[in-house]
């Protein structure tokens, strides 16, 4: 059952490639970090979000399992 959910997440992320997204990730007990960027690329196990911060382009790599375990939330803007 979890593998089906993981495949569904992969498919949903793949169709959003190139779009603006907001990533909310847990940073500790009560902290949440929000990043707005572009879903740059998808790979079999991870996806890359490109975020511009302080004049630099930073890339963040997340696993699809992070969404499944609610470590991050992603929404298309």
């Amino acid at each position: 059952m979890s593998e089906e959910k993981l495949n569904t997440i992969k498919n949903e992320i793949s169709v959003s490639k190139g779009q603006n997204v907001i990533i909310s990730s847990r940073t500790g007990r009560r902290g949440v970090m929000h990043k707005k960027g572009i879903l740059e690329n998808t790979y079999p196990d991870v996806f890359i979000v490109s975020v511009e911060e302080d004049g630099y382009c930073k890339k963040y790599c997340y696993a699809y399992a992070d969404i499944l375990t609610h470590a991050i939330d992603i929404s298309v803007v």
Side-chain angles (χ1 to χ4, degrees), residues 23-56:
I23 300 282
S24 301
S25 61
R26 314 292 182 264
T27 59
R29 287 177 99 175
R30 295 185 182 129
V32 177
M33 176 181 68
H34 300 283
K35 301 281 183 189
K36 184 176 181 180
I38 297 173
L39 182 58
E40 189 173 287
N41 214 338
T42 58
Y43 298 98
D45 295 323
V46 297
F47 60 96
I48 308 292
V49 177
S50 179
V51 177
E52 189 164 328
E53 293 179 332
D54 303 324
Y56 295 99

Side-chain angles (χ1 to χ4, degrees), residues 1 8 11 22 29 33-34 49 51 56-58 70 74:
M1 181 132 153
T8 302
N11 292 335
I22 295 177
R29 287 177 99 175
M33 176 181 68
H34 300 283
V49 177
V51 177
Y56 295 99
C57 183
K58 296 182 179 180
H70 303 288
I74 185 169

Side-chain angles (χ1 to χ4, degrees), residues 10-29:
K10 286 180 185 181
N11 292 335
E12 290 174 359
I13 295 295
S14 293
V15 298
S16 301
K17 187 175 170 183
Q19 295 184 8
N20 290 326
V21 295
I22 295 177
I23 300 282
S24 301
S25 61
R26 314 292 182 264
T27 59
R29 287 177 99 175

